Amino acid sequence: MPVAAVTLGGTTRHLFAGQSLRIGRDPTCDLVPTDPRTSRVHLVIQADADGDLVVQDMDSANGTFHRDTRVSACRVLDDVTFGLGNPDGDQLTIQLNRPTGQRISAAQPAHEDYQASPAPGHAVLVDADQTALGIDIAIGRAPDNTIVLDDPLVSRYHARLTPTAGGYRVTDLSSLNGTQLNGRDIVGGATLTPRDRLTIGRTVLRLTGDEIVRADEALGGALIANNLSFTLKDGKSLLSNISFTVPSGNLVAVIGPSGAGKSTLLRAITGSQPATEGEVVYQGQDLYRSFASLRQLIGVVPQDDVVHRQLSVRRALGYAAELRLPSDYRKSAREREVSRVITDLKLDAHQDTQISRLSGGQRKRTSVAMELLTQPPLLLLDEPTSGLDPGLDLDVMRLLREQADGGRTVLVVTHSTDNLDICDQVLVLAPGGMVAYYGSPSELLGYFGFDRYASVFSALATDPQGYAMHWAQTHAVQLPPPDATPHPVDVSPPRQRVSRQWSTLIRRQLRIIASDRSYALSAVLLPVIIAAMTLVIPGETGFGKPPPDSLGEPSQLLVIITVGAAFMGMSASIRELISERPIFLRERTVGLSPVVYLSAKVCVLFAMTLLQSAILISVVRLGKPGPDSSVWAADPTFELWLAAFGTSFVSALLGLLLSALVGTGEQTMPALVITIMAQLVFCGGLITVTDRGALEVVAALFPSRWGFAQAASTIDLRSLNPTVPPDWLWEHTVKSWLTAAAALAGIGTITLVLTAIKLIRQPSTT
């Protein structure tokens, strides 16, 4: 029989003797308030073995109130109502199921001999009576599961536990984020015993006797860096024995001169570039050993905005929700999550605004909102205030303060020192990646003996070893010895349905094109402009038999069509991958398949080049007569269109490869110009490339060589102009036409494979 009924916002949970309930905004809590003034884990109600209840506030930012008095810990002696975050906040009602004859005072403290645990050891999810039935236990978000977890990282039907000798057989039900046993993904099933930890989303389950309980994994500090070092192959040290602890709900800034290893430290903590020595512990688990179960608990905001600026805030978040949340999330559920982060980050007034029109601070809020869709308890940011004016700098830091006050652990790497007083702690790194200070921002300048941060940075650059040694000698950090051998990080991303990703990416890409009206208009006008250039070519026979004084008209038309088609394709793709690289790298870490990402780009480019080539040939035919005959098709103009389309599409694939290879967006323009000039020179219509040794081999690498050959074969160029050099690829035969088509297909396949390899091997920057 339950000892009490606890009600919040219309939802009631029954509390049994020996159990506890957690109340907070974290979706893993038993009751989740909606008031933003409540913390992620706000309070705990614990019933001891005798059924006595104690309410324990978990050091919430805004407190727990009975009437107008703030309560930290008290016994419940009769029915009572608490205000969360404020006296008029969300009302939590506790109704006892036994008469007591005494009502609680405004805040009756717990007896002195009673020590309320700062975090209860476990909450029973399946009791002994249920486990004694010997039936399967279903776990997931759906309400008909045995264990229901309201967590965006959990699928509707996530896992199944089947009773077996000594424990339970665990089967993952093709969930998005997987099921982890002792930090490792379950593949093909595994056995859960009382010694094991089963991780599903952000919930850790254990077997305790005949019960299945939710374990409390908050052991001491939320994040511990233990003697982290990172040494390059040449022996240069970027990090040297860095140790610190970040308590849960704290905001910590990492500062230091250039070359101090701030970003290297962030990558070591995120696991994208593990330390060569030392360990990172989060929620009591080694990050490198248990990366599979911890990666979804970490939100990372890179220095570059990870948003498409052509989209509105709500649309960008909507597409991100489709990619990051489980595929069994209904549209209405995804929209609720999007609305939640928009409200939490105060973006309501800007939700329908195009991101490119937002201020730098609002764009950064949108990037943070992307990460908060999955509600990670740990948030890491790399230079979020870079390039912002002082006012926007303050706005972003206040946002991070709010996130920490809500229960998140926030670590931010920054160059700015204007608003460090907002932080709980500041970590100062000296060049070489050594700790020179870790403590309160109010004591930082006094510790170094300066009154300006610029003087501190200058002193650190002058004598990094001295300051690091002084700190190590005077502030020894008591942490367990780290494992000398770092464990490889399991970087396999969470699973997501290929069709879901592919559909989302294509719809997003089409929306981006439609939202950028100038780009969409230029994509339509470009083939028209190229086609108009053919009108300046003298002659009136077009692709037909020219008179002796206009023999060059057919070949000149083919050069413009072929090179123009190549330019259309490359201009559409040359910036596609480099412009989205930060977005792609972040989405890859949360489950986006590089192959699916590339295939979506290819599909959109296929449709675009198909349409542009049709416009190009149609406009050309309006001004110039068509060929007299074809090689294999009923309409020779159709063959010309296929030749132009093949050239344009394969050139677009070549552009994608170059976009994956370049390091910055500024490098794309030189690459485009050089490649198009090469396609002009080596197409075969401007200079002779046949039987010229190495020149002919080089020409074979470019799509224009084969696209021109296809078109020349269609119009039978050699019979129209006997003065052109002999080239068997131009013969008016099916063999020549198909050979050129096969060569184009081969070039396209090779460039596509090379691009995929580059994307798969692309190193993460955060």
Side-chain angles (χ1 to χ4, degrees):
M1 175 179 175
V3 298
V6 183
T7 303
L8 177 69
T11 301
T12 299
R13 293 283 185 267
H14 294 284
L15 186 61
F16 294 82
Q19 294 186 359
S20 62
L21 292 177
R22 295 194 308 168
I23 291 86
R25 293 177 62 208
D26 191 306
T28 62
C29 290
D30 300 288
L31 289 170
V32 181
T34 59
D35 193 322
R37 293 173 293 185
T38 54
S39 297
R40 293 185 66 79
V41 180
H42 195 97
L43 63 83
V44 171
I45 306 172
Q46 188 168 14
D48 62 19
D50 296 325
D52 293 329
L53 267 63
V54 172
V55 173
Q56 173 72 46
D57 184 271
M58 303 302 293
D59 294 326
S60 61
N62 297 309
T64 301
F65 295 84
H66 177 254
R67 301 193 179 102
D68 293 323
T69 303
R70 185 162 180 165
V71 177
S72 58
C74 64
R75 287 193 180 281
V76 177
L77 304 178
D78 207 341
D79 297 348
V80 65
T81 298
F82 294 99
L84 305 183
N86 200 64
D88 63 354
D90 284 351
Q91 300 296 293
L92 178 77
T93 301
I94 301 176
Q95 293 178 301
L96 300 182
N97 288 340
R98 56 183 172 81
T100 62
Q102 181 184 1
R103 292 191 174 275
I104 187 171
S105 61
Q108 180 169 332
H111 294 166
E112 291 182 3
D113 60 350
Y114 178 84
Q115 298 296 325
S117 171
H122 65 263
V124 177
L125 299 181
V126 181
D127 60 23
D129 292 340
Q130 289 178 282
T131 58
L133 298 176
I135 60 176
D136 287 359
I137 296 172
I139 306 173
R141 263 185 13 258
D144 56 342
N145 284 285
T146 313
I147 299 177
V148 180
L149 302 176
D150 184 11
D151 183 346
L153 299 179
V154 176
S155 299
R156 285 179 59 80
Y157 300 98
H158 196 106
R160 182 176 61 248
L161 306 184
T162 303
T164 187
Y168 284 86
R169 182 69 176 174
V170 183
T171 304
D172 183 80
L173 302 178
S174 300
S175 63
L176 168 63
N177 295 304
T179 303
Q180 293 80 36
L181 189 69
N182 300 323
R184 297 189 178 276
D185 274 321
I186 291 176
V187 179
T191 300
L192 173 68
T193 70
R195 300 185 303 272
D196 299 319
R197 294 167 41 259
L198 181 66
T199 304
I200 297 179
R202 281 170 295 193
T203 301
V204 177
L205 304 179
R206 289 183 183 271
L207 286 181
T208 302
D210 295 328
E211 299 174 329
I212 298 176
V213 303
R214 180 183 58 211
D216 188 343
E217 295 295 305
L219 304 177
L223 176 67
I224 300 173
N226 190 3
N227 285 343
L228 293 181
S229 296
F230 188 87
T231 306
L232 298 176
K233 292 181 179 180
D234 61 5
K236 182 180 179 180
S237 178
L238 301 183
L239 297 177
S240 179
N241 297 321
I242 293 180
S243 296
F244 61 91
T245 299
V246 183
S248 180
N250 272 28
L251 170 60
V252 174
V254 181
I255 66 172
S258 297
K262 300 183 294 295
S263 294
T264 304
L265 174 63
L266 192 69
R267 289 193 292 271
I269 293 174
T270 63
S272 64
Q273 187 183 57
T276 53
E277 293 182 21
E279 61 187 357
V280 179
V281 178
Y282 181 58
Q283 292 195 352
Q285 304 177 57
D286 186 314
L287 175 68
Y288 299 157
R289 285 175 172 163
S290 307
F291 190 73
S293 62
L294 292 178
R295 64 187 166 205
Q296 293 300 314
L297 307 183
I298 303 174
V300 182
V301 180
Q303 181 174 350
D304 299 314
D305 291 328
V306 287
V307 290
H308 291 92
R309 297 193 176 194
Q310 302 92 331
L311 300 176
S312 69
V313 171
R314 177 168 282 278
R315 285 191 185 277
L317 292 172
Y319 289 125
E322 289 189 52
L323 293 173
R324 299 187 183 206
L325 297 177
S327 55
D328 55 16
Y329 253 69
R330 295 186 177 92
K331 183 178 180 180
S332 58
R334 290 197 307 270
E335 290 177 349
R336 281 197 303 270
E337 292 296 327
V338 170
S339 297
R340 175 184 59 80
V341 296
I342 286 176
T343 300
D344 285 352
L345 274 78
K346 300 179 176 62
L347 289 167
D348 303 76
H350 307 284
Q351 59 181 311
D352 296 320
T353 303
Q354 195 171 24
I355 295 174
S356 61
R357 299 175 183 171
L358 297 176
S359 67
Q362 297 297 344
R363 285 200 303 273
K364 191 58 64 178
R365 282 179 176 267
T366 306
S367 292
V368 174
M370 292 279 187
E371 297 305 312
L372 299 189
L373 282 169
T374 55
Q375 302 180 32
L378 175 61
L379 187 61
L380 307 173
L381 303 97
D382 188 13
E383 301 285 0
T385 61
S386 177
L388 302 184
D389 63 45
L392 294 178
D393 183 305
L394 177 60
D395 178 65
V396 171
M397 293 302 292
R398 283 176 173 169
L399 165 66
L400 302 183
R401 178 71 268 169
E402 292 170 1
Q403 295 304 311
D405 290 342
R408 282 191 173 88
T409 301
V410 183
L411 185 74
V412 54
V413 171
T414 180
H415 277 297
S416 174
T417 57
D418 292 340
N419 301 295
L420 294 180
D421 57 315
I422 293 177
C423 303
D424 296 295
Q425 306 284 333
V426 177
L427 175 65
V428 180
L429 297 182
M434 299 173 287
V435 177
Y437 177 84
Y438 183 54
S440 171
S442 62
E443 300 174 2
L444 192 157
L445 292 175
Y447 171 79
F448 287 99
F450 297 104
D451 57 1
R452 298 172 61 244
Y453 285 101
S455 300
V456 174
F457 284 12
S458 178
L460 289 173
T462 302
D463 186 17
Q465 289 281 357
Y467 282 99
M469 187 174 297
H470 182 266
W471 176 262
Q473 292 172 347
T474 58
H475 297 79
V477 179
Q478 299 297 323
L479 293 173
D483 191 336
T485 304
H487 299 267
V489 174
D490 174 16
V491 294
S492 57
R495 298 181 289 272
Q496 177 68 281
R497 283 205 315 236
V498 170
S499 59
R500 164 77 169 272
Q501 288 190 350
W502 189 77
S503 169
T504 301
L505 291 170
I506 287 183
R507 286 186 287 108
R508 184 174 71 179
Q509 185 66 24
L510 293 176
R511 173 61 63 177
I512 290 171
I513 293 174
S515 299
D516 191 343
R517 295 181 181 177
S518 60
Y519 175 79
L521 182 62
S522 65
V524 174
L525 290 180
L526 182 58
V528 176
I529 295 172
I530 294 174
M533 295 179 183
T534 62
L535 298 178
V536 302
I537 297 175
E540 299 178 355
T541 55
F543 298 100
K545 183 68 175 178
D549 59 347
S550 299
L551 291 178
E553 183 182 7
S555 60
Q556 291 171 359
L557 286 172
L558 294 188
V559 168
I560 290 181
I561 290 174
T562 303
V563 178
F567 177 73
M568 288 190 306
M570 289 200 67
S571 63
S573 65
I574 192 69
R575 291 185 57 85
E576 277 298 302
L577 301 184
I578 183 62
S579 64
E580 291 187 358
R581 184 168 296 171
I583 301 174
F584 162 71
L585 292 176
R586 181 55 193 148
E587 290 181 339
R588 185 182 65 179
T589 64
V590 295
L592 177 62
S593 164
V595 174
V596 174
Y597 173 75
L598 179 59
S599 69
K601 293 287 186 186
V602 170
C603 287
V604 173
L605 288 172
F606 181 92
M608 181 179 294
T609 53
L610 194 72
L611 177 62
Q612 287 182 316
S613 300
I615 295 174
L616 173 64
I617 297 301
S618 298
V619 176
V620 168
R621 283 286 288 106
L622 289 177
K624 296 288 184 177
D628 295 329
S629 62
S630 63
V631 173
W632 59 269
D635 185 356
T637 299
F638 178 72
E639 284 187 16
L640 280 180
W641 170 63
L642 286 180
F645 163 65
T647 304
S648 184
F649 179 57
V650 176
S651 294
L653 299 182
L654 179 60
L656 280 181
L657 176 60
L658 294 176
S659 188
L661 293 174
V662 297
T664 64
E666 289 74 15
Q667 296 173 353
T668 57
M669 188 54 65
L672 174 63
V673 172
I674 292 173
T675 307
I676 290 300
M677 290 298 297
Q679 297 228 58
L680 172 63
V681 171
F682 294 119
C683 70
L686 190 64
I687 63 172
T688 302
V689 296
T690 308
D691 298 327
R692 296 191 64 180
L695 187 65
E696 185 175 12
V697 174
V698 173
L701 301 176
F702 293 94
S704 62
R705 163 67 169 141
W706 305 101
F708 186 91
Q710 275 186 296
S713 174
T714 292
I715 69 173
D716 196 6
L717 182 61
R718 294 183 62 186
S719 67
L720 296 180
N721 185 3
T723 65
V724 298
D727 189 331
W728 74 272
L729 289 173
W730 298 354
E731 292 178 0
H732 194 60
T733 63
V734 173
K735 177 182 178 181
S736 295
W737 200 96
L738 292 180
T739 298
L744 275 176
I747 294 173
T749 302
I750 293 172
T751 56
L752 197 57
V753 170
L754 292 176
T755 305
I757 293 174
K758 178 62 178 176
L759 288 180
I760 293 171
R761 295 181 176 179
Q762 189 87 51
S764 178
T765 56
T766 54

